[in-house]
């Protein structure tokens, strides 16, 4: 009876061990049962097709940028630079006081324009041919110093920006007008275009599958891109409607395009 009990006990332990080993062995068996070709290799054997789709929307530009300039000419470079800086600081401070206006500095240049048509007089006898001169002043060869500074005034309130240019025209002249689409407006439009672009891409992919008589498709890669028409430019100078009134400005339109490019795997039927 004792041997029987011991034999039964060993048999049960052996049975438990067998179940345990079996549980461990199952994944190994499953791995061995997998085909030798990996999923990546399998995909590479499927035909691929490159596709592209896009959606566009034309909207009115909502932002204007005015270029204000101060340009002076004279014989003294230092005095000219000081006068241009004073005018720019005055207008910049005035624009900063209005929350609807954004101001930033544009180009700033100081250069010497030589008068090539002016004859050079020969030096008098007994005088030195080279004299020490103040480099900040125009030399005897003929010419003039020019100082020019720009301020860029940007606003979504086009009427206010136009009136601001008229109010400060005695200090800085209006030299250019540029229209554009604000970043916020562009992002809102692109959100709308994303759904339309995705739908167009899927439609094109399905049409290709049907035309080529495949069973379906799987996306391999996708890339989004955007294309916009260049910002519109108005003439450099525009006539004033009346004294101390801003120029009659009107924004143009801009086309925003969202494109999608990618590749698909063509699946057999």
């Amino acid at each position: 009876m004792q041997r029987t009990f011991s034999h039964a006990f060993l048999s049960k332990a052996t049975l438990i061990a067998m179940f345990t080993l079996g549980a461990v062995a199952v994944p190994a068996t499953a791995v061995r049962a997998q085909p030798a070709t990996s999923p990546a290799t399998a995909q590479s054997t499927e035909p691929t097709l490159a596709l592209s789709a896009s959606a566009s929307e034309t909207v009115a530009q909502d932002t204007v940028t005015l270029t204000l300039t101060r340009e002076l000419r004279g014989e003294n470079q230092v005095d000219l630079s000081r006068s241009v800086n004073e005018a720019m600081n005055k207008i910049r401070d005035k624009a900063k006081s209005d929350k609807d206006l954004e101001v930033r500095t544009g180009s700033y240049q100081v250069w010497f324009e030589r008068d090539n048509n002016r004859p050079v007089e020969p030096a008098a006898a007994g005088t030195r041919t080279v004299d020490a001169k103040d480099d900040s002043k125009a030399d005897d060869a003929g010419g003039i110093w020019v100082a020019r500074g720009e301020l860029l005034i940007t606003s979504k309130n086009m009427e206010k920006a136009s009136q601001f240019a008229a109010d400060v025209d005695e200090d800085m002249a209006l030299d250019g007008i540029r229209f554009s689409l604000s970043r916020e407006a562009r992002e809102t439009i692109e959100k709308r275009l994303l759904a339309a672009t995705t739908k167009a891409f899927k439609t094109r992919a399905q049409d290709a599958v049907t035309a080529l008589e495949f069973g379906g498709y799987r996306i391999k890669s996708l890339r989004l891109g955007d294309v916009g028409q260049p910002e519109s430019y108005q003439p450099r100078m525009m006539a004033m409607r009346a004294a101390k009134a801003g120029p009659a400005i009107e924004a143009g339109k801009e086309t925003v395009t969202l494109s999608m490019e990618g590749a698909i795997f063509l699946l057999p039927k």
Side-chain angles (χ1 to χ4, degrees), residues 57-63 156 158 180-193 254-257:
E57 185 174 338
T58 301
V59 294
Q61 295 166 319
D62 63 343
T63 304
K156 292 183 180 180
M158 299 188 186
S180 62
L181 193 63
S182 66
R183 180 178 179 180
E184 297 81 6
R186 185 178 296 276
E187 289 178 349
T188 300
I189 296 169
E190 288 181 348
K191 286 181 181 179
R192 294 200 298 265
L193 293 177
E254 185 171 337
T255 300
V256 180
T257 301

Side-chain angles (χ1 to χ4, degrees), residues 99-179:
K99 62 181 180 60
D100 291 333
L101 302 178
E102 176 187 334
V103 59
R104 66 184 188 275
T105 303
S107 66
Y108 184 90
Q109 297 173 296
V110 179
W111 70 94
F112 184 78
E113 287 186 355
R114 189 175 299 278
D115 186 1
N116 295 324
N117 296 323
R118 177 178 173 178
V120 179
E121 298 180 0
T127 61
R128 298 176 59 186
T129 56
V130 178
D131 296 327
K133 296 176 182 178
D134 184 356
D135 292 338
S136 67
K137 296 182 179 180
D139 59 23
D140 294 337
I144 196 170
W145 284 101
V146 183
R148 187 178 190 274
E150 288 184 353
L151 287 180
L152 305 178
I153 307 297
T154 301
S155 179
K156 292 183 180 180
N157 190 329
M158 299 188 186
E159 183 176 353
K160 178 175 286 190
S162 174
Q163 187 60 50
F164 179 85
D167 294 340
V168 301
D169 63 347
E170 293 182 359
D171 297 297
M172 297 191 74
L174 177 62
D175 191 52
I177 302 177
R178 177 169 57 93
F179 297 104

Side-chain angles (χ1 to χ4, degrees), residues 8 10 25 31 53 76 78 81 83 98 101 130 132 157 169 219 226 229-230 253 256:
L10 290 175
V31 171
N76 192 295
V78 176
S81 298
S83 297
D98 193 325
L101 302 178
V130 178
N157 190 329
D169 63 347
I219 294 176
D226 61 278
Q229 289 184 349
K253 295 184 182 239
V256 180

